[in-house]
Amino acid sequence: MTEGRAARPTLPPLATTTRMFARSLGWSPDQLTAAFRPAIRDDLPALLAFRQRTGWDDDAYLRWRYGLDTDGRDEPGTLWLLRDDTGVLAVIGREAQRIHHAGRTLDGQLLMDIQLRPDLEGGGGGVWLNQMMMAKADVTLAVGANAHSIGLVKRMFAALPQRSYRVLPLDSAEMLRQHGLGTFAVRVGAPVLDAGWSLVHRAAQRRSRSGIDVVEVAQVPTADIEALRAVLPPQVACVMPSPEHLQWRLFDNPRARYDLMVAYRAGVCVGYMAVRNVAADGTGKAGLHLLDWKTAAGGADAALMALLQAAVARARKERCSRVFTTVLDEQAAPLLKRLGFLGRESPSLVAGVYSAVPLPGNGGQGRWQITDLSFDSDGIY
C-alpha cells in the first residue's frame, strides 16, 4: 500500500462538466451553480418523495444524518441538492471526516447518497456533483459502490486496496446449511467446526494476555478519545472523529444504536471498538457488527486483539450467529485470521481517495485503515 499513484486522477475541467450538465437541464452554467445548495428543513417532503425508500424511518434518518432540523448548522452531515418547480433533480450527501495521518489532522469528507432523477442520468451529472463536492475538503473518500456508481468511483478517485468482508461464524450448522450441505453432513461437520473454532480462540487467548481491560461505556469518554488521537500509529491514515462526532454517530442514529467498548492498560485508554447487535437472521439469532476501532501505536496488536476477543465473547454470550465487519486494515487482517474470521471479496467493496495533499495511495507513503464507520450502511445490516 506504499506505492503512490498520481496525486490526482485526471478529470475534465469543472467548467466543462458544468456546461455539459447545464445543457442537459436546459440551464446556463451560472444558473446551475447558483441552484446547487445545502438542503434545509423545508426541502424534506420533496426529498422524501425523491428518495422513494421503503422499510426505513427515512424522515428521522434524513433529519439526523443531514441536520435538517437545524438547517445544517454545526452538523457533521450536509445534503446538497438541485431542485426546480417540479421537485428534486439531484442530491449528494457528505459527512465530515477528520483524517489523521503522520501527526496531522486533515479536513476530510465522505461522499454518499448520490442520486439523479432517472431522465437526467448520462448527462454528466454524476461527475459534476462529485467535482463540486471535492472542492469542499482537503480529502474526499469514496467507500463502497453499487452497479451505478462503481465506474464513477474508479474514474474519479485514486484507487485504494480493496476492502474485504470478514465473518466469524458462530453457528457452524447454519453456515453449512447455507452452503447447501444436507442434514447428515451438517450433523457430522458442525461439531467438528465448532471444536476447531473453540481451539483457535483458546490458542489466541493464551498468546495475547496483555493486562488490558475492556469495558463497555454508556457514552463516549471525551478525554480518553482525544488522548487516543494523539498516539495513533503515524504511518496509518484513518478517520478519527472528534468525541462529539463519535457520540452523534454511535448513539444518536435513529436506525442503528451502537455500543462502545474501550480498552485500558493501567488506567490509560489504548483503544476502542464500536459494535452493534443486528436483527435476527434465518437462524433466529442476531449477528454482531464491528463498526469501527482505533488503537494506540504502542502495543496496537495487543489492544486490538483484546477488543476483538471481548466482542467475540459478547457475541457468544448473546448467542449471535456470527461476528462480521468490512475492513481495509493491514494490522487487523492477521488478527482476524488468528481468531478464525473468514474473508470474502466483492467488486462493490472499492475504496478511493481524492486529495489535495499527499496521502497513502495518493502520492504519499504509509497505509490506510478504513472501517464501516466510513460506509453509510447504518441500519441496512
Side-chain angles (χ1 to χ4, degrees):
M1 200 186 292
T2 57
E3 304 87 17
R5 285 183 50 173
R8 295 185 181 213
T10 302
L11 300 176
L14 178 58
T16 300
T17 55
T18 300
R19 285 196 304 271
M20 289 177 55
F21 188 39
R23 188 181 305 123
S24 72
L25 295 171
W27 295 359
S28 72
D30 288 343
Q31 285 176 310
L32 176 59
T33 54
F36 189 56
R37 61 170 177 81
I40 60 174
R41 189 174 352 190
D42 291 345
D43 294 311
L44 188 57
L47 286 168
L48 291 171
F50 180 69
R51 285 166 62 93
Q52 295 180 337
R53 302 287 190 180
T54 58
W56 291 343
D57 184 359
D58 211 43
D59 180 291
Y61 178 78
L62 282 177
R63 291 176 185 271
W64 166 78
R65 169 60 86 176
Y66 296 118
L68 294 184
D69 281 331
T70 62
D71 288 342
R73 293 189 302 275
D74 301 321
E75 295 293 337
T78 311
L79 187 67
W80 286 72
L81 59 71
L82 289 171
R83 65 175 298 185
D84 60 13
D85 293 339
T86 68
V88 177
L89 306 178
V91 297
I92 186 169
R94 74 182 294 267
E95 181 184 335
Q97 302 265 277
R98 295 199 317 180
I99 310 297
H100 182 83
H101 179 247
R104 302 173 297 170
T105 299
L106 302 171
D107 174 28
Q109 64 182 351
L110 173 72
L111 299 185
M112 56 195 171
D113 281 344
I114 182 170
Q115 190 174 355
L116 291 156
R117 202 172 67 186
D119 62 296
L120 299 178
E121 293 180 0
V127 174
W128 183 82
L129 288 167
N130 275 275
Q131 282 186 289
M132 289 293 286
M133 298 305 294
M134 285 171 167
K136 300 183 185 302
D138 293 331
V139 184
T140 300
L141 291 178
V143 180
N146 55 38
H148 295 289
S149 63
I150 192 167
L152 200 64
V153 170
K154 290 182 176 181
R155 176 183 175 188
M156 300 192 70
F157 294 84
L160 297 177
Q162 191 88 348
R163 296 179 300 133
S164 64
Y165 177 75
R166 303 289 177 131
V167 59
L168 174 66
L170 299 180
D171 187 332
S172 300
E174 180 59 25
M175 181 187 71
L176 294 176
R177 280 192 289 269
Q178 290 176 352
H179 282 76
L181 274 70
T183 302
F184 178 75
V186 171
R187 188 181 302 124
V188 172
V192 174
L193 285 175
D194 287 339
W197 263 301
S198 178
L199 288 172
V200 166
H201 286 287
R202 285 202 295 270
Q205 287 172 340
R206 286 195 297 270
R207 293 172 59 186
S208 60
R209 292 174 181 168
S210 55
I212 295 174
D213 297 315
V214 177
V215 298
E216 288 198 19
V217 296
Q219 61 182 10
V220 174
T222 299
D224 289 338
I225 297 303
E226 283 292 1
L228 179 63
R229 182 181 66 82
V231 292
L232 291 173
Q235 73 278 15
V236 178
C238 67
V239 175
M240 183 63 189
S242 67
E244 295 77 16
H245 189 151
L246 198 61
Q247 180 75 23
W248 168 84
R249 187 73 165 78
L250 301 181
F251 297 113
D252 295 344
N253 187 340
R255 285 190 196 157
R257 284 288 301 270
Y258 291 88
D259 297 313
L260 187 63
M261 302 189 301
V262 184
Y264 293 95
R265 181 189 286 118
V268 176
C269 174
V270 293
Y272 75 80
M273 177 173 285
V275 303
R276 172 183 173 240
N277 281 51
V278 301
D281 59 15
T283 69
K285 297 180 180 179
L288 188 72
H289 178 200
L290 311 183
L291 176 80
D292 181 45
W293 55 84
K294 299 292 182 295
T295 51
D301 282 1
L304 181 54
M305 178 59 83
L307 288 162
L308 288 169
Q309 289 176 333
V312 172
R314 166 179 162 156
R316 290 187 180 280
K317 180 179 179 181
E318 299 181 6
R319 302 184 62 82
C320 292
S321 64
R322 70 198 190 284
V323 183
F324 65 96
T325 190
T326 307
V327 66
L328 165 60
D329 186 348
E330 290 184 1
Q331 177 206 355
L335 303 184
L336 291 167
K337 184 176 180 180
R338 190 189 304 173
L339 284 172
F341 279 74
L342 307 176
R344 189 175 73 208
E345 307 298 327
S346 169
S348 66
L349 298 178
V350 296
V353 59
Y354 184 88
S355 175
V357 296
L359 283 170
N362 191 70
Q365 299 297 308
R367 65 180 191 269
W368 275 92
Q369 179 199 18
I370 295 178
T371 65
D372 281 338
L373 183 75
S374 295
F375 183 49
D376 58 330
S377 59
D378 293 311
I380 299 174
Y381 62 81

